[in-house]
């Protein structure tokens, strides 16, 4: 009896302990609410900064060191002179743009040894959050329950435009006013944008992309995934387009870099710009993702990648041309492959159904709730079964994938603009002046365009589309392919690549010399483009009612959920706005009886070396430093740390984000998620989900010992 009681007590204690230890470090929190919602918890976990030092409107704070890089990644200031750290994969497209067979910075890396060598990047911007504001009451004051969903959207859009315009102050700020919690709340983000951002340094891909697409999305990892940029301003410190007269940005706040290291369970927080999550997606929507959307993505992208991979291996020129495009397709493909598997493996649909059942019980327990939310869940089921019946998702997704992976639609999409110019009747020199902008656009497009790849990718895309989508839902171009080319897609594609003005550099330039409406009208590449667009729009138009109803339902669903748990702090889904996530350094069990430690070292780089696999080449210089054990002040236990794990809640867009210790020092840069929790954008898995970070000591070692970039080291503040 006594023994039983003891066991009971013990297991109770154990379960309490487990519950505490497993407190999920889930959540991407809004900076302005950190003090109210998270601060106390963060202090308990090891944060030593004040709330004001994290986010302040009046004084410099952590938020002033964090920028959105081009809207797709995060970067952070690490020097008083505007020096930024981010990921190698975030700088990849810029590095590629500066690369050629003669100067292959992708392969060899790039280091500006003085500021005058830093490379400008047209179109690349960074934005700082100036402040954010809760606009919920203002925005929602113009809507009421009698409005239709369309009236509601219209009214809200008008308000958003009004407040945005006001806050922009005639171009002083870039403003985003966005919906949060599916239209239940609205926040305004006021940003300062800088347009002169230069490349300062990047390791060779054999460090910055070590492991390549083989290791991508996986732990244990050995990638030095970092690159450096610098922000420049006009001489008076204001944002400006690139100019030789510009000067380095004066940082309001920058992050010291700690080489003290960390232990398991140490506090870690990440600030950055996560792109999209869908944590409140319902079971019916997850089913559609699993059965209809992801399979389409995986199938189409893999086939396109196979073509690219094969052709890229044949020529250095083509390898460089397609490096960035290929890496992002491959990244997306592997993400969706893993997401599909984990949605199944982790029973996400079933887990969602369970929580929907709870919600249903809660709704049905009260007549007022029933009146307000009674049909929410059945509405979802109805909406999604109609989507399925009409084959909407495969159709829309396959169309987008064709556009996404094939560049054969890019120039045809510009034919309308040329046609409009021709219709005005301009001739001779005036016409040639108008065509000049198209010549320039073409230079940019064809710089990274290979006829063989594009021809083969188009064949692949058109064939998969034809096989996956029922005939009655095909764009009209398939009728032409059937009648004029006996259904032979290869013949059709060969024909348009030979004849169309819009698919090859030579034909396009010839056309621009003598542009004619007639050539556009009879062109089959243009017809192909138009027919895909028309088809897409008519499907979208047909599904508009469903989409509208879905919006209403999603808003109500989230309102109900939050009403059901009044004491719970909810965080909004990621939407490319600045967020903070906090947690700890921590290992995990990827499978039964398998344990993964929380850090990797250079020993693992050497163990993975394989000179005959491009993903695992180790640079000669790295090996020499390794054999000499020349790790300097960056070593721990006689070796060099490379990557580590935290349980922070991040997603794409967070790439390049700083990992900060309790004192606000940078200890690493976040760059990936892990293979066992690929469904994390839909359901956070506290036991499995990890953030993969490159260790600040590895980054510094590469800059200092490998590259010998003393100029960069001199700018940094190192905490020992
Ligand atoms: N998985 C990383 C992310 O989404 C990108 C890694 C890029 N590397 C690559 N091998 N494609 O942020």
């Amino acid at each position: 009896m006594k023994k039983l009681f003891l066991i009971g007590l013990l297991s109770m204690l154990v379960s309490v302990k487990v519950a505490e230890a497993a407190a999920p470090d889930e959540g991407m929190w809004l900076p302005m609410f950190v003090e109210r919602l998270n601060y106390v918890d963060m202090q308990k976990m090891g944060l030593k900064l004040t709330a004001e030092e994290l986010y302040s409107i009046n004084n410099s704070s952590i938020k002033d060191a964090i920028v959105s890089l081009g809207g797709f990644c995060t970067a952070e200031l690490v020097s008083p002179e505007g020096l930024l750290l981010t990921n190698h994969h975030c700088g990849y497209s810029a590095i590629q743009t500066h690369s050629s067979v003669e100067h292959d910075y992708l392969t060899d890396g790039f280091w500006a040894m003085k500021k005058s060598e830093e490379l400008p990047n047209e179109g690349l911007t960074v934005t700082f959050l100036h402040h954010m504001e809760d606009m919920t009451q203002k925005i929602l004051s113009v809507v009421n329950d009698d409005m239709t969903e369309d009236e509601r959207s219209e009214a809200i859009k008008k308000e958003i435009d009004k407040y945005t315009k006001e806050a922009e102050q005639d171009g002083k700020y870039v403003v985003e006013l966005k919906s949060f919690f599916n239209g239940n709340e609205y926040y305004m983000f006021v940003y300062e944008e800088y347009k002169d951002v230069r490349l300062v340094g990047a390791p060779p891909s054999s460090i910055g992309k070590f492991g390549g697409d083989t290791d991508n999305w996986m732990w244990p990892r050995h990638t030095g995934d970092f690159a450096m940029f610098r922000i420049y301003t006009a001489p008076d410190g204001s944002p400006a387009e690139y100019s030789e007269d510009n000067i380095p940005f004066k940082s309001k706040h920058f992050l010291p870099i700690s080489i003290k290291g960390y232990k398991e369970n140490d506090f870690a927080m990440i600030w950055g710009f996560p792109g999209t999550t869908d944590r409140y997606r319902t079971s019916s929507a997850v089913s559609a993702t699993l059965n209809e959307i992801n399979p389409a993505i995986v199938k189409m992208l893999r086939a396109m990648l196979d073509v690219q991979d094969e052709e890229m291996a044949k020529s250095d020129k083509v390898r460089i041309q397609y490096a960035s495009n290929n890496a992002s397709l491959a990244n997306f493909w592997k993400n969706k492959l893993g997401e599909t598997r984990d949605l199944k493996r982790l029973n996400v649909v079933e887990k969602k159904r369970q929580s929907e059942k709870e919600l249903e019980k809660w709704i049905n327990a009260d007549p007022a709730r029933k009146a307000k939310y009674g049909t929410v869940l059945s509405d979802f089921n109805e909406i999604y079964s109609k989507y399925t019946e009409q084959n909407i998702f495969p159709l829309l997704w396959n169309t987008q994938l064709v556009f996404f992976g094939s560049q054969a639609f890019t120039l045809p999409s510009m034919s309308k603009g040329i046609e409009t110019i021709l219709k005005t009747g301009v001739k001779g020199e005036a016409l040639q002046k108008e065509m000049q902008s198209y010549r320039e656009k073409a230079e940019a497009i064809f710089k990274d365009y290979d006829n063989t790849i594009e021809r083969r990718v188009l064949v692949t895309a058109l064939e998969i589309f034809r096989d996956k989508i029922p005939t009655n839902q095909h764009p009209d171009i398939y009728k032409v392919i059937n009648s004029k080319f006996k259904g032979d897609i290869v013949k059709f594609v060969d024909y348009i690549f030979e004849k169309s003005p819009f698919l090859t550099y030579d034909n396009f330039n010839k056309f621009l010399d003598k542009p004619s409406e007639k050539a556009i009208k009879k062109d089959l590449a243009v017809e192909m483009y138009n027919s895909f667009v028309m088809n897409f729009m008519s499907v979208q138009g047909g599904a508009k009612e469903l989409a509208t109803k879905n919006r209403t339902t999603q808003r109500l669903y989230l309102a109900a959920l939050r009403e059901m748990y009044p004491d719970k702090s909810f965080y909004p889904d990621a939407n490319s706005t600045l967020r903070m996530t906090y947690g700890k350094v921590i290992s995990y069990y990827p499978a039964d009886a398998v344990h993964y430690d929380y850090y990797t070292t250079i020993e693992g780089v050497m163990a993975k070396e394989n000179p005959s696999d491009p993903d695992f080449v180790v640079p000669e210089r790295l090996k020499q430093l390794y054999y000499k054990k020349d790790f300097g002040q960056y070593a721990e236990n006689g070796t060099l740390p490379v990557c580590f794990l935290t349980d922070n809640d991040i997603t794409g867009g967070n790439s390049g984000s700083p990992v900060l210790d309790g004192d606000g020092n940078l200890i690493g840069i976040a760059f990936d998620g892990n293979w066992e929790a690929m469904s994390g954008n839909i359901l956070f898995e506290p036991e499995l989900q990890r953030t993969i970070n490159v260790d600040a000591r590895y980054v510094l070692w590469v800059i200092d010992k490998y590259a010998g970039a003393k100029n960069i080291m001199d700018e940094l503040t190192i905490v020992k």
Side-chain angles (χ1 to χ4, degrees), residues 31 38 95 242 281 333 351 363 407-408 486 657 693 716:
N38 317 109
I95 303 166
Y242 169 80
R281 199 182 291 183
W333 166 77
K351 285 178 189 160
I363 293 172
Q407 297 189 68
K486 300 207 178 82
S657 296
N693 314 290
L716 307 173

Side-chain angles (χ1 to χ4, degrees), residues 60-87:
S60 72
S61 55
I62 294 284
K63 79 140 173 53
D64 298 314
I66 317 295
V67 295
S68 163
L69 180 73
F72 56 85
C73 272
T74 303
E76 53 276 1
L77 288 168
V78 288
S79 96
E81 294 189 274
L83 189 61
L84 292 170
L85 261 182
T86 185
N87 288 148

Side-chain angles (χ1 to χ4, degrees), residues 89 209 212-213 216-217 221 225 327-328 330-331 652 655 671-673:
H89 78 261
K209 201 178 187 253
D213 289 311
N216 191 17
W217 295 112
R221 195 62 160 276
D225 198 344
S328 52
N331 189 48
S655 281
F671 73 93
D672 213 355

Side-chain angles (χ1 to χ4, degrees), residues 269-502:
M269 70 176 164
I270 292 179
W271 287 69
F273 290 83
T276 346
T277 54
D278 215 344
R279 296 275 164 78
Y280 305 104
R281 199 182 291 183
T282 54
S283 59
S284 37
V286 179
S287 289
T289 304
L290 189 55
N291 301 314
E292 296 165 44
I293 300 174
N294 284 9
I297 300 175
V298 170
K299 168 91 193 167
M300 183 76 86
L301 291 187
R302 186 63 259 166
M304 289 171 161
L305 282 163
D306 286 344
V307 173
Q308 289 189 350
D309 290 347
E310 206 183 302
E311 298 296 333
M312 285 167 77
K314 291 182 195 163
S315 128
D316 276 338
K317 178 168 173 241
V318 177
R319 170 181 59 76
I320 294 171
Q321 282 183 314
Y322 278 77
S324 182
N325 178 317
N326 181 268
S328 52
L329 290 192
N331 189 48
F332 191 39
W333 166 77
K334 197 166 175 184
N335 175 291
K336 291 296 162 186
L337 185 75
E339 184 182 82
T340 311
R341 188 204 49 167
D342 286 347
L343 285 173
K344 277 187 221 153
R345 201 170 58 89
L346 303 169
N347 290 317
V348 174
V349 175
E350 196 41 48
K351 285 178 189 160
K352 294 268 176 184
R353 266 197 204 121
Q354 286 306 327
S355 48
E356 285 157 24
K357 271 199 194 126
E358 305 271 305
L359 182 70
E360 199 165 20
K361 252 198 250 154
W362 175 85
I363 293 172
N364 287 333
D366 175 273
R369 289 180 208 152
K370 229 174 141 169
K372 204 163 155 197
Y373 302 123
T375 64
V376 165
L377 291 165
S378 57
D379 282 351
F380 270 129
N381 290 336
E382 196 190 310
I383 293 165
Y384 279 89
S385 41
K386 284 200 180 139
Y387 273 131
T388 304
E389 251 166 53
Q390 298 168 28
N391 200 36
I392 303 284
F393 293 128
L395 230 170
L396 294 182
W397 272 96
N398 274 296
T399 310
Q400 293 182 94
L401 287 160
V402 169
F403 285 140
F404 182 57
S406 158
Q407 297 189 68
F409 294 86
T410 315
L411 281 175
S413 78
M414 294 179 187
S415 65
K416 208 84 252 108
I418 301 180
E419 214 180 331
T420 313
I421 293 171
L422 291 171
K423 279 204 163 62
T424 65
V426 281
K427 295 214 166 57
E429 226 171 276
L431 179 62
Q432 277 311 314
K433 238 174 124 187
E434 294 272 12
M435 292 305 110
Q436 187 50 31
S437 74
Y438 287 95
R439 277 186 213 282
E440 281 159 23
K441 277 183 200 140
E443 289 300 325
I445 292 164
F446 286 108
K447 177 180 176 296
D448 297 330
Y449 185 108
D450 175 71
N451 288 350
T452 309
I453 289 194
E454 293 310 327
R455 186 193 298 239
R456 290 186 59 195
V457 163
L458 183 60
V459 168
T460 305
L462 292 177
E463 286 182 348
I464 292 178
F465 191 100
R466 180 181 60 189
D467 296 345
K468 291 288 164 187
I469 302 296
T471 314
N472 62 352
Q473 291 183 320
H474 285 178
D476 284 345
I477 193 67
Y478 283 95
K479 289 199 189 116
V480 177
I481 298 174
N482 287 337
S483 62
K484 292 205 180 134
F485 300 89
K486 300 207 178 82
D488 189 334
I489 288 177
V490 177
K491 285 222 174 79
F492 166 71
V493 171
D494 281 348
Y495 178 84
I496 58 175
F497 266 82
E498 193 192 321
K499 300 277 185 203
S500 170
F502 300 105

